[in-house]
Amino acid sequence: NTQIIYMSDHRENLGKRGLWGKMTMYEEAAAIPMIISGPEIPIGKTCSTPVSLVDIYPTILDCVGEPLLGKEKKLPGRSLQKIAIEPDNNERIVFSEYHGAGSPSAVYMLRMGKYKYIYYIGYSPELFDLVLDPDEEVNLATKKKYSNLLKKFNTLLNNTLDPIVTDKKAKLDQAALITRLGGR
């Protein structure tokens, strides 16, 4: 009757692409291990449905038999218990964002199907086919044949949030924190 969820913080670039740290949305830094086990979970099943840490909250509620209430129903996550017993849904959209203190730009990521879209404020977007290019070395955003997919991802991002407004708010919040803690 015990559910076990194994996960970790996201990984680290470790010098790949000449980068150190965890501030990118490339798989080597953004991906995390996630394993769930328990009475409702099929034994030995590998699920290819994209999931994220926002799925943990509804999973915990599901594990203890509590429903999502009111505004919680609008949260982006879903129970991993439910995802694990459903057919794989490679088209599920997963979103992530990064607002590091001192970073020149917010970074937003959307994963849908085999594609990953990375958007930086003030910089060119990136688009990768994670099946054909799992190391994310070929940026498809520069290729004309992917322009419609690029527009679709941009629309999805802007339907999720306003990237510029969100970036400005994060920078204002960071500045306020620095001031509250005594300044630079």
Side-chain angles (χ1 to χ4, degrees), residues 44-80:
K45 178 183 178 190
T46 298
C47 179
S48 65
T49 301
V51 297
S52 101
L53 294 176
V54 300
D55 297 316
I56 298 301
Y57 179 69
T59 301
I60 291 170
L61 289 180
D62 197 19
C63 286
V64 298
E66 290 296 321
L68 293 169
L69 302 173
K71 291 180 182 177
E72 295 174 329
K73 291 179 183 178
K74 294 181 182 179
L75 294 173
R78 288 194 60 232
S79 170
L80 295 170

Side-chain angles (χ1 to χ4, degrees), residues 81-94:
Q81 285 189 145
K82 289 180 173 60
I83 291 171
I85 61 173
E86 297 170 347
D88 288 350
N89 177 6
N90 293 325
E91 298 304 309
R92 182 175 190 234
I93 298 169
V94 174

